[in-house]
Amino acid sequence: MALPSTISTAQALVGEGLPATLITQASDAHPKPQGHKFTYGTAGLRTKADTLDSTCFRVGLIGALRSKKLGGKTIGLMVTASHNPVEDNGVKMVDPRGEMLESSWEPFCTAIANAETSDELVASLEKLVAHFKVDLSAPASVVVGYDTRPSCQTLVKAIIDGLSAMGAQTIDAGLKTTPQLHYLVKCLNTQGTDEAYGEPTEEGYYKKLANAYIKLVSGKGESAPLTVDCANGVGAPALLNLTKYIPAEHLSVRALRTATSSPNELNHGCGADFVKTNQCLPAGYDKEDVKAGERMCSFDGDADRIVFYYLKGPAGAKESFRLLDGDKIASLAADYLSELVKVAGIDLELGCVQTAYANGSSTKYLKQRVPVTCTPTGVKHLHHAAESYDIGVYFEANGHGTILFSASAQRKIREASPGSPAAQGALEQLSALVDLINQTVGDALSDMLLVEVILRARQWGPEEWDGAYEDLPNKILKVNVKDRFLFKTEDAERRLTSPAGLQDKIDEVVGKYKDARSFVRPSGTEDCVRVYAECAIASELTPLATSVSKLVAEYA
Ligand code: 16G
Ligand code: MG
């Protein structure tokens, strides 16, 4: 695909204040659904697509203001509802270095999305401008991407109306995976500098990943086929495009669930969320000739998340399904990178970041090898924590994650003088891995290639990878409550502080089971409370999880 096209150029703002007349006129064409409450949550604003028009228009306005606040740096807006059904949609903001929107802006986004009238909207924008001291005469630049949902077209139009009302330069990046949009934002903001991240085009993204991958796997033998479930989403065309840059001897992919022109198929019975939640193959895979020992993986609907799996025995037998989730990817990557750093002979601290959802066995395994931190759920929390290590490996169990190399780690890798041929080889690999791994956000395509690289280097199939540790049986239940905001947590969501007394009751229940752990947290994306439970004995899992859920329901 070609360079993103500039679809509207900057329009100077007249006077000192907000262009209130332009905003009001444009806003009248994007009325807010009366009484509807929006929240900027873990992954932006997300809900039913047919209620999101006003929100998208307003996010356009905010995106322009964020860019102005940062002196005209390019901000990203991604329209997607990830693993959710096709009727849903959402929009999230990406900051200039490719990371999530600075969290102090989130409450303002919520307030602006909820302003009932155009006048209230202007007033809430003025509050943001005053609070963050936004210089309205600064230029603004915003790049917009979207996934395969049919609702994206009108929502993008609403965003563009918002951007135009603010006179922002708008770059329409078109159909993109979420991580591609993050990549573009970082490239656009670093081009021409010492930290240039890459060519700011989709093609540049494929070339960067493919070149690094080819360097890493060359001379390591032919690749056995990898079956990829693309969730019938944007990951399908992206995977197809990526493979054009990688010779088949290096990556042999069987792409399934690629029906992007059948909208209702998006994430339907397939995708990373389906596989992780149900701990089974995508629906219909038993008829797809999948074989025991074959590597398989699933993307989610916007391709920022991946899980792997394989069958130990015949397809159809539930017990033969083995999941290799985000925790298993983290352990594979942390082990491999630690070894490379050691062989390279450089002094770098590698650490791992997980959330409370990480399987207890994975945490135990990792803690025996590297420092491990736990953060609340949501990519932004893990990402920031990972920045405190020289090499920060972060993964949520659900398959969101990546690896960050600090600027000084990258310099050390570039400038080290190797003491042996082995050290030189390790340094070359580390340097290629810096390019292979998307440093802006978890990326299904990039993570898929990373796993392929490590398995090839180790000459491992999925079974050897799986052998690192045995997951404790676990499940997540959803409890519908009247007000999920009554549930407040501490200690990286591992304990409840409110409702009063509930945590003690949970502790009491958990104490009855062997090696058990359970926690309760309000969802950041849905109107419910989630209950996680794990324990040593499989037959005790359901009683444990249902007892904790009952306690929650009694308090709700
Ligand atoms: C969002 C988050 C994901 C988190 C999930 C939890 C991003 C990009 N995505 O999808 O990291 O695991 O929410 O959902 O941050 P929940 O709060 O509904 O359990
Ligand atoms: Mg996603």
Side-chain angles (χ1 to χ4, degrees), residues 13-215:
L13 287 174
V14 190
E16 297 273 298
L18 282 166
T21 317
L22 275 178
I23 293 172
T24 309
Q25 273 169 5
S27 166
D28 290 344
H30 300 282
K32 175 181 177 286
Q34 288 283 308
H36 204 93
K37 276 264 166 267
F38 299 98
T39 312
Y40 198 101
T42 331
L45 292 135
R46 191 178 292 177
T47 181
K48 294 283 160 255
D50 57 7
T51 63
L52 269 174
D53 186 77
S54 64
T55 298
C56 283
F57 166 73
R58 293 161 185 213
V59 168
L61 300 172
I62 303 169
L65 290 172
R66 178 84 187 137
S67 173
K68 283 175 185 290
K69 168 68 193 168
L70 300 172
K73 292 219 170 97
T74 302
I75 295 298
L77 296 179
M78 180 71 198
V79 181
T80 178
S82 186
H83 62 277
N84 294 111
V86 69
E87 317 78 79
D88 292 7
N89 215 329
V91 57
K92 58 185 165 193
M93 297 183 55
V94 179
D95 263 357
R97 289 190 302 133
E99 66 308 29
M100 305 287 174
L101 172 69
E102 186 185 294
S103 53
S104 58
W105 279 57
E106 292 180 4
F108 289 87
C109 294
T110 299
I112 291 166
N114 288 320
E116 287 298 335
T117 62
S118 297
D119 287 348
E120 270 181 50
L121 170 63
V122 171
S124 61
L125 289 165
E126 273 165 356
K127 265 196 198 151
L128 179 148
V129 169
H131 183 89
F132 292 110
K133 303 191 177 61
V134 180
D135 173 5
L136 292 170
S137 66
S141 163
V142 177
V143 54
V144 187
Y146 51 85
D147 74 9
T148 56
R149 284 158 214 273
S151 56
C152 287
Q153 297 305 322
T154 50
L155 295 179
V156 168
K157 209 185 148 301
I159 288 178
I160 289 172
D161 284 354
L163 292 167
S164 305
M166 279 294 184
Q169 184 199 1
T170 306
I171 304 164
D172 179 5
L175 184 68
K176 291 285 170 288
T177 69
T178 292
Q180 285 175 341
L181 198 264
H182 285 250
Y183 165 91
L184 286 178
V185 170
K186 184 156 185 166
C187 292
L188 288 164
N189 286 302
T190 54
Q191 61 184 333
T193 73
D194 290 352
E195 291 161 23
Y197 189 63
E199 195 190 303
T201 62
E202 188 176 329
E203 195 185 3
Y205 165 90
Y206 296 126
K207 281 191 190 154
K208 180 170 176 174
L209 260 56
N211 291 342
Y213 177 76
I214 292 166
K215 258 189 226 162

Side-chain angles (χ1 to χ4, degrees), residues 82 300 302 304 400:
S82 186
D300 73 337
D302 62 338
D304 66 348
H400 277 290

